[in-house]
Amino acid sequence: MTKYSLETKISSVEHYMKGMEHFKQELEDYIYYYNHKRIKEKLKGMSPVQYRTHAQEAA
């Protein structure tokens, strides 16, 4: 394997890892939004977390 080939592979792996880290962060951000920020009319205008907390306090 030549030095150029090894550097290209290392660069490709680094690029892939950065992409995976970016994807992971975007997914975590979306899950947080989905559970904490998203308002649902079926949940009386609350987010799922707010609704769950409200239901537990009422019980």
Side-chain angles (χ1 to χ4, degrees), residues 5-19:
S5 178
L6 181 59
E7 288 174 355
T8 302
K9 288 184 179 188
I10 290 172
S11 177
S12 295
V13 169
E14 288 173 347
H15 180 72
Y16 173 78
M17 294 303 291
K18 286 179 185 176

Side-chain angles (χ1 to χ4, degrees), residues 10-57:
I10 290 172
S11 177
S12 295
V13 169
E14 288 173 347
H15 180 72
Y16 173 78
M17 294 303 291
K18 286 179 185 176
M20 288 303 295
E21 288 299 319
H22 178 73
F23 172 76
K24 182 180 174 185
Q25 185 60 52
E26 291 292 320
L27 182 60
E28 289 173 357
D29 292 346
Y30 180 75
I31 291 170
Y32 181 85
Y33 162 78
Y34 192 86
N35 289 322
H36 293 86
K37 303 288 183 181
R38 178 181 58 103
I39 303 301
K40 289 289 291 180
E41 194 171 312
K42 288 182 179 181
L43 301 179
K44 302 178 184 177
M46 293 183 255
S47 73
V49 171
Q50 289 172 325
Y51 185 79
R52 194 175 315 122
T53 301
H54 180 265
Q56 288 174 348
E57 289 173 355

